[in-house]
Amino acid sequence: MSRHVVVTGAGSGIGRQTAVRFAGLGCRLTLVDINAAQLQAASDECARSGAKEVRAVVSDLRTPDGPEDMVAEAWAVAPVDVLVNSAGVYPATPFLSLDADSWDSVLHLNTRAPLLATVALARRAVESGRRASVVNISSGAALRARPGAAPYSTSKAALEMVTKASALELGPYGIRVNAVAPGFVTVNSTANPVTEEYAAAVSGNPLGRRGEPDDIARAVVWIAGEEAAWITGETLRVDGGSSAGAMNLPLHWTPRSMSESGSRDN
């Protein structure tokens, strides 16, 4: 039986490529985005990629009822097996320019919407005695603050705790909740544009290349599936190793000889 997968933020970038990956597995898809034109293009690509069925839902998940309505509409078609919360915004707002509206707009979409969507799914899954899997898309920014990204970094740090808390309470019902945290990924987003200067500054990593949406999509499909059946409450960092440490620092000292190096190490 093909799984029913709901992907938010499916119109572009990581969300779209994740949807295409699930389509290639013959899944039934409900794709959600606020941009109708991009959503239709993604739906068409998923249909060509082998999806059993594709439904497009245009929705603003920042509204209080948006996540509940989205899940209700998807569940009315077929019970939902996988929910991928990929919709998000990444505005650049200097700290001294922050106000309540600019803060809330980020937290409502990046943190509250995944939480409420997970609650809506879990209520239905528990009532019907079904298992389910939720994957939240976090970010390396959850671990490191960046100039102009106080709301974003906070939203992703909070999302990782939402992942843990929901996994703890929903595990007994057979509902797994995990997160995937990308490093810098080239998505060419019109909603979340970045300069090349910024991209170069944040994309250094041990593997020596920037991420692509499919790097993240493969991880999402894996952790949502049965091969990861005993994993819940985890954040999988798919970042080329950038979270392992700082790549741009020089040696803290330069040894003059091997003997000196050995003596200092001891």
Side-chain angles (χ1 to χ4, degrees), residues 111 115 118 134-136 138 142-143 156-172 175-180 231-237:
T111 309
L115 168 65
T118 301
V134 178
V135 183
N136 296 318
S138 183
L143 300 180
K156 293 302 185 178
L159 182 61
E160 293 191 7
M161 183 50 70
V162 165
T163 300
K164 292 178 181 291
S166 52
L168 188 71
E169 296 201 45
L170 298 179
I175 301 171
R176 297 189 300 114
V177 186
N178 291 290
V180 172
I231 299 175
T232 196
E234 291 298 323
T235 297
L236 176 60
R237 304 204 179 276

Side-chain angles (χ1 to χ4, degrees), residues 36-229:
Q38 291 184 344
L39 185 59
Q40 186 58 56
S43 299
D44 292 343
E45 183 177 3
C46 287
R48 293 191 300 269
S49 298
K52 180 177 181 180
E53 178 186 352
V54 185
R55 297 182 66 257
V57 176
V58 178
S59 177
D60 184 353
L61 299 176
R62 294 170 296 186
T63 64
D65 296 331
E68 167 68 31
D69 292 345
M70 170 195 72
V71 173
E73 185 172 348
W75 196 278
V77 175
V80 176
D81 301 293
V82 177
L83 168 64
V84 181
N85 290 307
S86 183
V89 289
Y90 180 40
T93 308
F95 195 83
L96 295 180
S97 299
L98 284 172
D99 56 25
D101 288 341
S102 60
W103 179 269
D104 288 348
S105 66
V106 177
L107 272 293
H108 285 177
L109 181 59
N110 291 8
T111 309
R112 189 181 71 176
L115 168 65
L116 295 180
T118 301
V119 171
L121 169 62
R123 286 173 176 163
R124 290 166 172 79
V126 169
E127 183 178 357
S128 59
R130 294 181 61 90
R131 299 168 60 196
S133 179
V134 178
V135 183
N136 296 318
I137 302 301
S138 183
S139 167
L143 300 180
R144 287 193 305 183
R146 300 168 185 175
Y152 181 76
S153 296
T154 301
S155 74
K156 293 302 185 178
L159 182 61
E160 293 191 7
M161 183 50 70
V162 165
T163 300
K164 292 178 181 291
S166 52
L168 188 71
E169 296 201 45
L170 298 179
Y173 300 104
I175 301 171
R176 297 189 300 114
V177 186
N178 291 290
V180 172
F184 183 80
V185 174
T186 303
V187 296
N188 298 318
S189 170
T190 56
N192 299 296
V194 299
T195 65
E196 177 56 32
E197 179 185 19
Y198 175 85
V202 301
S203 59
N205 59 70
L207 294 184
R209 69 169 177 86
R210 298 176 185 180
E212 298 293 337
D214 200 47
D215 292 317
I216 312 307
R218 290 196 300 269
V220 172
V221 170
W222 175 77
I223 207 166
E226 287 303 310
E227 289 187 352

